Amino acid sequence: MDCTRRSKLAALLAGVALALPALPAAADEEGLVIGHAAAVTGLLAPYDGPDGVACRVAQINDAGGILGKPVTLMTRDTKSDPVTAANIAQELVDAGADVLFGPPTDDGLIPMAGLALAQGIPVLSVGSTQPAFPQASPDNGYLVPYGDNASAAAAAELAYAAGYRKAALMIAHDVGAYSLVTPEYFAQAFEKLGGQVVGRVSYHHGLADYTPQVTEISNMADKPDVIFGAILVPDAGVFLRTLASSDVNIPVYGTDGFDDPSLIPVSGAGGKLATFITHGFPAEGSALKAFYDDCAARGFNVQNVFFGLGGEAVDVVKTAVEAAGSFEPAAINAAIREIEGMKGIVSDSVTYKGQAGTPLKQMVALQIKDGAFVEVARPTPAWVPAP
């Protein structure tokens, strides 16, 4: 990194503040600088992993850094606003970031990648599963999770294998492409298997009452036997609870929007209706469980699996830097594209080579039983819709 970028970084680090454990400053040393435009607060906060990023950086620095140099982390809160994300990204680039981590939706990520491209800076999303982002930013945009098209296909295969043939889709337009496009990926995979989509129900995230949507489903002329929705918490729990309380006990399949501990108390009796595809599960002996335990001991708040994805994002960059032997953004960017079979924190194998920015990763399916999430399958879809 050139001297101008380093001097800007030194000036800005003194003013960067966030409620995360302190990390060693490295403004005057050659080393990796990560800038994280994170959804620390707001609607998207459950789906970003700033604490997980910070914990992994702390672990790496305690072990001697990367290539013998410390990692510097600058984290700013986007407040779940895409315009704020772009503005923060520019500040982080100006401050000397070698790599940018971005928020969980494509409407914030795509502008970030555009402004970072001139300096060859890679942009990774810790929590977004929207393949529209790397597709729109093919030169420097990457997901850390799998793509929505893969998880929706996995959900469709599980639902079809369970005997369901008629699906209703929940559709929302207000969380990037996640809740709008993911149900259509499910529809493509479900119909390819022989299932039928019998209706689409519109909603908006943030509803306190899903009675109108549940009533619409129960009044469909062609009755669905399964529902699919890429719904965020707490709405996912409210919807499940409303289904159960209305005695419309139709199973609901979803994806990682369901994956937050708050789903369990909010859904109440409706929790038994849910099956969802997500990124990983902290089983005893797993790398994810070990990461959770060490980070909790360090004083970090382990909220959900997106904490683990935060750590995995750092490992993607660490792997690339070590392969490139360089902290230069363009070298890191090129090396990410060649990662193949990396052992991650959440996933046992992560591959970017030949994947156009959306990694090939394993998935897990979870349900709620006895007041806790339990793993019920590790699906690998036989067919995935094109993004």
Side-chain angles (χ1 to χ4, degrees):
M1 179 180 295
D2 62 41
C3 294
T4 301
R5 293 180 73 205
R6 282 292 179 193
S7 63
K8 287 181 179 178
L9 172 61
L12 266 75
L13 277 175
V16 174
L18 184 67
L20 297 173
L23 297 170
D28 59 345
E29 299 182 56
E30 289 298 323
L32 179 69
V33 180
I34 299 173
H36 191 178
V40 180
T41 60
L43 176 68
L44 301 176
Y47 307 104
D48 211 334
D51 275 14
V53 172
C55 180
R56 187 66 186 122
V57 168
Q59 289 177 332
I60 289 170
N61 283 336
D62 285 352
I66 301 175
L67 301 181
K69 301 294 183 181
V71 180
T72 298
L73 174 63
M74 301 182 293
T75 306
R76 302 285 187 87
D77 186 7
T78 69
K79 302 178 182 178
S80 298
D81 176 63
V83 175
T84 302
N87 292 336
I88 286 174
Q90 186 63 65
E91 293 177 13
L92 293 170
V93 169
D94 291 343
D98 302 308
V99 174
L100 292 179
F101 290 170
T105 57
D106 54 1
D107 52 2
L109 290 162
I110 293 170
M112 285 181 60
L115 64 87
L117 181 59
Q119 297 191 49
I121 297 173
V123 178
L124 293 79
S125 176
V126 170
S128 175
T129 50
Q130 297 164 24
F133 163 51
Q135 190 174 36
S137 309
D139 296 316
N140 66 331
Y142 305 91
L143 301 182
V144 174
Y146 52 65
D148 288 322
N149 50 341
S151 61
E157 289 191 8
L158 287 179
Y160 193 85
Y164 304 118
R165 295 296 181 266
K166 295 185 177 184
L169 307 180
M170 299 294 292
I171 305 291
H173 294 73
D174 48 2
V175 189
Y178 177 66
S179 295
L180 176 64
V181 179
T182 308
E184 301 302 337
Y185 290 140
F186 176 91
Q188 290 180 53
F190 194 62
E191 289 172 344
K192 186 176 178 67
L193 290 164
Q196 179 184 3
V197 174
V198 297
R200 289 168 171 80
V201 178
S202 296
Y203 71 101
H204 296 285
H205 282 106
L207 294 177
D209 181 12
Y210 275 81
T211 300
Q213 286 76 20
V214 171
T215 300
E216 182 178 345
I217 292 168
S218 64
N219 290 337
M220 286 181 177
D222 200 356
K223 301 294 185 185
D225 57 10
V226 68
I227 300 167
F228 178 85
I231 310 174
L232 305 182
V233 295
D235 292 54
V238 176
F239 178 61
L240 290 165
R241 187 181 68 224
T242 306
L243 282 169
S245 63
S246 302
D247 203 27
V248 183
N249 292 301
I250 300 174
V252 179
Y253 282 68
T255 54
D256 60 334
F258 285 51
D259 195 355
D260 188 83
S262 66
L263 180 73
I264 297 171
V266 174
S267 63
K272 67 182 183 297
L273 301 174
T275 300
F276 61 93
I277 306 298
T278 189
H279 307 276
F281 188 70
E284 287 297 331
S286 68
L288 184 58
K289 179 68 162 56
F291 184 63
Y292 283 0
D293 289 347
D294 182 72
C295 291
R298 291 171 180 266
F300 290 89
N301 176 34
V302 180
Q303 181 178 356
N304 56 28
V305 74
F306 294 90
F307 184 101
L309 286 169
E312 195 157 277
V314 179
D315 276 359
V316 168
V317 176
K318 178 177 182 288
T319 299
V321 169
E322 290 173 342
S326 171
F327 299 110
E328 288 302 314
I332 298 170
N333 188 52
I336 292 173
R337 296 184 174 280
E338 298 301 314
I339 290 175
E340 188 171 13
M342 183 195 93
K343 183 170 178 55
I345 292 170
V346 176
S347 178
D348 289 339
S349 179
V350 181
T351 293
Y352 283 93
K353 188 172 184 177
Q355 300 302 313
T358 298
L360 181 65
K361 303 179 73 174
Q362 66 185 179
M363 294 171 275
V364 300
L366 302 184
Q367 293 178 344
I368 299 173
K369 294 181 180 178
D370 298 324
F373 291 141
V374 295
E375 181 180 327
V376 295
R378 288 187 172 257
T380 300
W383 180 82
V384 176

